[in-house]
Amino acid sequence: MRVAIAEDSILLREGLARLLGDAGLDVVAQCGDGDDLLLKVRSYRPDVAIVDIRLPPTHNDEGLRAALEIRDRHPSVGVLILSQYVELGLALKLLAESAEGVGYLLKDRIIDVDEFVGAVRRVANGGSALDPIIVSTLLSRQRPGDPLARLTPREREVLELMAGGSSNQGIADALVITLRAVEKYVSSIFAKLGVPSTGGESKRVHAVLTFLRS
Amino acid sequence: MAAVAEAPALRTASAAAPRAAVVSAVALAGCAAAALAVVLLLRANPPGAGPRAALVGWITLAYVICGAIAWVGRPDTRFGPLLVAAGIAPVLSTLSIVEAGIPYTIGEALRLLPLAVFLHLFLAYPSGRLGGGLERNVVAAAYAAAVGLQLVRMALGGFGPGNLVEIVERTAPGPALRGLQVVALSGLMLAGTGVLLHRRRGSGPPLRLTRELLVDCFAAALVMMAVALVFTALDGPATEPLRWVTFGLIGLAPVAFVFGLLGARLARTAVGELFVELHADPVSADLRDALARALGDPSLELAYWLPDFAMYVDSQGRPVETPTEGPRGLTVIHLEGEPVAALLHDSTLGEEPALLEAVTAAAAIALQNARLHAELRARLEELRGSRARVLEAGQAERKRLERNLHDGAQQRLIALSLELSVLGERLRTDPEARARLERAQAEIALSLRELRDVARGLHPAVVSAHGLEVALEQVTALAAVPVRLSVRVGERLPEQLEVAAFYLVAEALANIGKHAQATVAIVDVIRTGGRLSVEIVDDGVGAADTEAGTGLRGLADRVEALGGRLRIWSPRGGGTRVRAEIPCG
């Protein structure tokens, strides 16, 4: 599995590369800014690019723009955005069309190495990884006649993991239940929310997000 | 700070008015002189005596009467007496028709005097005083050529037996002297024309119509006088008609002058209207327009004196430069001995001190009012500027701190935690050490969360980096009530403005969560024209305490420092509406 990293702090970039290398991933490119990243993504065709949202020269939105450009030009390359702040508005911008091969995590999440490497692999494989803060923000949003109130606490847990991008197996592992039980919960949730369960795991993050946002 | 001349109105207040008796006597003498000239001409009956008598009579009467009027009406100028003198001069030169004795000698000696007097008169308009050294020299030379050279010529004889000043009979240099006289006088006339035209072009807009007419008339008369002089000397063709035209033009001048006086009278009735206008609306923003109308000077500018700032400002409180010289005149208006305001006007208005005085007297109270308004605005402007600067400096500093936290402490802590993870891999065999390591990592995670909260409190980085629309998604999603958000701002706005709008929405939504008991809120951010309007409406209990909510008070400061306005409507039981309007260029 091939990885490109764009991060302007050398300390962090090196640490990240070593961490991913230790986990058995192949770090093919390390970049200090967005232009360099675009160039190397075109040359090396990694499976996933890990991008700091604040990159030189202005440290405003260069990282985000580079990420959106990779999504646009190289749809097969997964993009995982790392940020000091996670913002719903940015998540919506990133996942506007689809959640496939997109991740958006708080930088702190690197610390939990296993979780983080799992998220990188998921995004590289065309899945999603959405920070728990985004998910909880969406779930806490007030809605008139809140349909989420109809969910059982267990269903709510499953929904949170689902929205974060976890696969059924991932949910089963996290909640220590059987895969079969997860599937039952998922179809129950979709039925209660009135969301058509469209196809596989890769599409449902987008469906759930679209529902939660409205 | 420019030095300021005193108002002409004040300077002329002490000018003594001429006695009516003196002026009437002069007028009567002028009429008698005109009559004398007519009688002399008709009795001698040279060719063309009738028309010539009529012209001389007309010129003398017109100039003397106009002179008397001007003398009374404008006692501060010397133009009146000069007009009278110009009326008398043709009579004196007519005396030569008698052909004998003292009258003949006087008449011959002063034959060309009218040329010099008219030149003097035209150049001295309108004050009756000659301006610079050039004008004085031209006029003095004209007198010397017209009278001095004439006396020299007469002393050398050739003027017949009636000439009492003949010393020797030497006719040889006669023609040469005459030629010199003609060339000198016509040259001086043309020089005078040049001075007039230059003055007309240099006095700047707007020249008032009557003055323009007069100056044109004078210039034409001077040219005609020069031409007539040369033609007469050369015995050229059509000498007689040329002279008629010249005298005709000279005769027109007093008519134009009387029109000028009438114009001033009309302007003075405008002062009456000004009174009515100012009485109806004493703090009218149209004070300048009203004064401009009354003074007949569309270029009029008003400047208010601010003693504390020691400068002049316009009605909006912005500094105004006051001229010390050039085509613009400056009149300072005093009230109770203190300067209140200054009128920057066309310099020709300086010739009508009575009008200026009347207008400024009528407007003094209104001007004092307007000055206080201007002073207030100047202070507000100053205050707004300093408030904006303080806010901007504070915000820049907070932004710098936020970035330092992000680029420094947070990155290092994460890198440190990664280092600990690597160490943890090596400590697989020592569960206790590994557990301590994990506790340390948990501490780091906590520190990172706290640091993030501090950084967010310092400056909303997401607003600066990604704009208002992106930033407001999170805030509205976290609000305690369902929020309908609509952001229509188009391109990015200045950072200060985006940050202010962001804080406003965040604070208003927080207040709704705390106090309003609302079921829904609407946030509308829209840019129309040059303004950003931010509106937050809820359907709660209303009666929001705008004073106790210090958060909102601080936001009002922020909005006002950006030149905007924050208003809050919160009727009991009727929900709350917070609306800010901020100019955004």
Side-chain angles (χ1 to χ4, degrees), chain A residues 14-151:
Chain A
E14 297 285 347
L16 210 49
R18 194 170 57 195
L19 179 157
L20 294 172
D22 288 351
L25 285 84
D26 184 10
V27 178
V28 294
Q30 295 189 34
C31 326
D33 63 55
D35 290 342
D36 194 20
L37 174 68
L38 285 171
L39 206 71
K40 286 181 173 157
V41 164
R42 199 165 59 215
S43 315
Y44 301 128
R45 293 287 167 154
D47 297 302
V48 61
I50 300 173
V51 189
D52 183 357
I53 202 165
R54 282 222 276 216
L55 283 179
T58 69
H59 295 93
N60 277 333
D61 62 345
E62 281 88 348
L64 180 70
R65 276 195 275 129
L68 290 173
E69 202 164 330
I70 293 171
R71 296 266 290 146
D72 192 41
R73 288 201 199 163
H74 312 286
S76 64
V77 179
V79 175
L80 175 57
I81 293 263
L82 293 181
S83 173
Q84 293 295 74
Y85 43 76
V86 298
E87 286 280 335
L88 179 57
L90 291 176
L92 295 175
K93 216 166 165 175
L94 264 172
L95 281 72
E97 267 150 42
S98 118
E100 285 174 58
V102 187
Y104 178 28
L105 295 177
L106 201 61
K107 232 178 205 176
D108 307 10
R109 307 295 175 213
I110 303 170
I111 295 173
D112 191 337
V113 176
D114 294 340
E115 277 276 326
F116 179 67
V117 172
V120 173
R121 287 185 191 280
R122 218 157 61 224
V123 172
N125 288 326
S128 335
L130 208 51
D131 199 274
I133 291 180
I134 300 284
V135 176
S136 71
T137 301
L138 279 170
L139 287 171
S140 71
R141 164 175 271 176
Q142 301 295 310
R143 296 169 181 81
D146 194 351
L148 293 182
R150 280 182 294 228
L151 300 184

Side-chain angles (χ1 to χ4, degrees), chain B residues 517-578:
Chain B
Q517 302 168 36
T519 62
V520 71
I522 297 170
V523 175
D524 215 347
V525 183
I526 184 168
R527 173 200 230 158
T528 41
R531 275 136 65 102
L532 178 74
S533 99
V534 180
E535 191 173 72
I536 304 102
V537 186
D538 70 58
D539 64 347
V541 295
D545 188 347
T546 52
E547 290 308 311
T550 52
L552 278 180
R553 186 60 249 162
L555 288 172
D557 281 348
R558 195 180 274 270
V559 167
E560 282 159 20
L562 294 169
R565 261 184 89 179
L566 179 73
R567 285 190 289 174
I568 299 166
W569 296 265
S570 191
R572 188 169 298 281
T576 300
R577 172 189 299 259
V578 176

